């Protein structure tokens, strides 16, 4: 007597569910990508709109929204394959569209990510995640988009919107794609073994130094804005910050391209480092300035998220705590102390201090990865065998630390040079900086719109300083009990 076993419907293959498709991995990767997208829109859109002076709320939020949309068009038309496609140069992939259904519904493949020994034999085959190419294109697009939005943080409150519209596709094409291919897509830093788990170098170090460089070329805000730039809505800032922190589960959790143990480790480490960094930053504010700052806490949160990113799935929990302590203190020192003493830092008007929260924190995270990367965890994720931080072996680990430093120098140098060229080229077509009359008025002059139907720029109303409120200027009603 024979019996037949029927495969459950959920596991039967079809044109919609080929035998290579892992539905769990695909579902997680799509979720992770959407979480990263929510970090940008509405996350950073709301954060930027709330953290700036009231007269720049609309412009700041719109710069972020525009970048998110523009990157999508460029990404699927040419930039994805420049970042993750076939090799053109050691630092660049071949530009071509990612729009054909035959390409997008087939199994994902990152062709240049095969890793080779010195003799040319294969050490690790190319990455082939168990879901469609469309999922990878989506996941990597939202990473590219958030990078441009982070760059915008250095330029808020004075960059011409027309110049920003040109800057986004140019910087994506000539800067971001180079970093992405070099470190992640199979380029020379990838082959050399530079570790960047999920964007400490490709995203944050790039954004920090590109934003600072662009801020130099665009020029400063109006003098009175530099002197006084109060957040118009700290609760909006916290809302955006919350989306940023929770969305980082997708940011780092999606790094392994699978719903596996590395993803779990990276999400836990992300939260550990971020919480420690926020608390350390707040404690330093209390000790040195006698007041805990909500905006300071948000900055500490961001530096923790950034610092852990290059190491999230590669370090132990205690190392994540160490990184959190340093993430909450080193960028705090550069922003709150060093910035006031450095002629260069004071000269360049980096509106939100992106050079500190992303540039310094990203560099710090990359260096600490070279020190603290655990060999067992590295073996679960990295294509280079025997990878480890210097803490786990002076020979291989010391070499890894050197690679991390060299990789950072390349990313910094490329971004400074290319961003400068892009800014000079744009300025030859349209002015980089708004006119003085627009800088004086803000959103109403630039967009014909204002964020709130409220009076003032966020300062407390004082009738002796600001005058009566028109028809509402009546004798005050006493609220004191008789």
């Amino acid at each position: 007597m024979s019996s037949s076993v029927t495969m459950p419907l959920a596991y039967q293959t079809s044109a919609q569910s080929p035998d290579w498709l892992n539905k769990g991995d695909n579902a997680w990767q799509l979720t992770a990508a959407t979480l990263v997208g929510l970090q940008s829109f509405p996350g950073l859109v709301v954060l930027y709109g709330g953290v700036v002076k009231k007269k720049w709320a609309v412009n700041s939020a719109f710069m972020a929204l525009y970048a998110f949309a523009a990157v999508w068009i460029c990404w699927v038309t040419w930039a994805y394959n420049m970042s993750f496609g076939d090799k053109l140069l050691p630092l660049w992939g071949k530009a071509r569209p990612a729009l054909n259904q035959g390409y997008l519904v087939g199994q994902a493949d990152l062709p240049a990510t095969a890793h080779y020994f010195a003799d040319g034999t294969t050490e690790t085959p190319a990455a082939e995640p168990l879901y469609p190419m469309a999922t990878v294109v989506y996941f990597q697009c939202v990473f590219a988009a958030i990078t441009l939005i982070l760059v915008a943080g250095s330029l808020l409150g004075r960059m011409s919107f027309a110049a920003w519209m040109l800057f986004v596709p140019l910087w994506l094409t000539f800067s971001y794609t180079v970093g992405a291919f070099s470190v992640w897509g199979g380029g020379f830093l990838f082959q050399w073994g530079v570790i960047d788990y999920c964007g400490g170098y490709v995203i944050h170090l790039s954004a920090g130094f590109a934003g600072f460089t662009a801020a130099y070329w665009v020029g400063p805000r109006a003098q009175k804005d530099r002197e006084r730039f109060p957040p118009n809505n700290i609760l909006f800032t916290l809302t955006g910050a919350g989306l940023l922190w929770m969305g980082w589960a997708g940011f780092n959790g999606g790094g392994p391209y699978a719903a596996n143990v590395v993803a779990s480790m990276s999400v836990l480490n992300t939260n550990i480092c971020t919480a420690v960094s926020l608390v350390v930053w707040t404690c330093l504010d209390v000790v040195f300035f006698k007041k805990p700052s909500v905006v300071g806490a948000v900055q500490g949160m961001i530096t923790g998220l950034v610092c852990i990113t290059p190491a999230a799935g590669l370090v132990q929990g205690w190392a994540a705590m160490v990184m959190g302590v340093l993430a909450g203190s080193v960028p705090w020192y550069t922003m709150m102390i060093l910035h006031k003493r450095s002629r260069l830092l004071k000269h360049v008007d980096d509106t939100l201090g992106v050079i500190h929260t992303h540039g310094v924190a990203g560099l710090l995270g990359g260096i600490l990865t070279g020190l603290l990367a655990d060999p067992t965890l590295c073996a679960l994720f990295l294509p280079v065998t025997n990878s480890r931080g210097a803490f786990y072996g002076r020979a291989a680990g010391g070499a890894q630390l050197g690679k991390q430093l060299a990789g950072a120098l390349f990313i910094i140098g490329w971004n400074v040079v290319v961003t400068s060229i892009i800014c000079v080229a744009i300025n030859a077509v349209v002015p980089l900086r708004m006119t003085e009359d627009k800088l004086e008025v803000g959103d109403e002059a630039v967009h014909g719109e204002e964020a709130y139907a409220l009076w003032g720029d966020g300062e407390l109303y004082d009738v002796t300083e600001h005058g009566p409120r028109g028809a509402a200027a009546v004798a005050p009603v006493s609220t004191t009990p008789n």
Side-chain angles (χ1 to χ4, degrees), residues 90-163:
L91 46 73
W92 235 346
K94 296 179 180 178
R96 65 186 180 96
L99 293 168
N100 181 273
Q101 64 86 16
Y103 172 75
L104 293 173
V105 302
Q107 183 178 357
D109 173 30
L110 282 70
T113 57
H115 200 276
Y116 301 96
F117 289 110
D119 62 4
T121 58
T122 301
E123 180 176 9
T124 307
E128 294 183 340
L130 300 177
Y131 40 73
M133 182 63 79
T135 302
V136 178
V137 174
Y138 175 31
F139 181 72
Q140 290 298 344
C141 180
V142 290
F143 275 74
I146 200 170
T147 309
L148 265 300
I149 295 172
L150 295 177
V151 173
S154 297
L155 308 169
L156 302 179
R158 84 284 201 172
M159 188 174 189
S160 158
F161 202 85

Side-chain angles (χ1 to χ4, degrees), residues 399-436:
Q400 186 63 55
L401 181 59
K403 292 177 182 179
Q404 297 300 109
L405 290 168
L409 289 174
F410 171 77
I411 294 294
I412 292 170
W414 184 270
N415 276 281
V416 169
V417 172
V418 172
T419 303
S420 295
I421 293 172
I422 290 172
C423 287
V424 170
I426 291 174
N427 200 45
V429 179
V430 295
L432 288 169
R433 190 170 181 265
M434 295 180 194
T435 59
E436 293 297 329

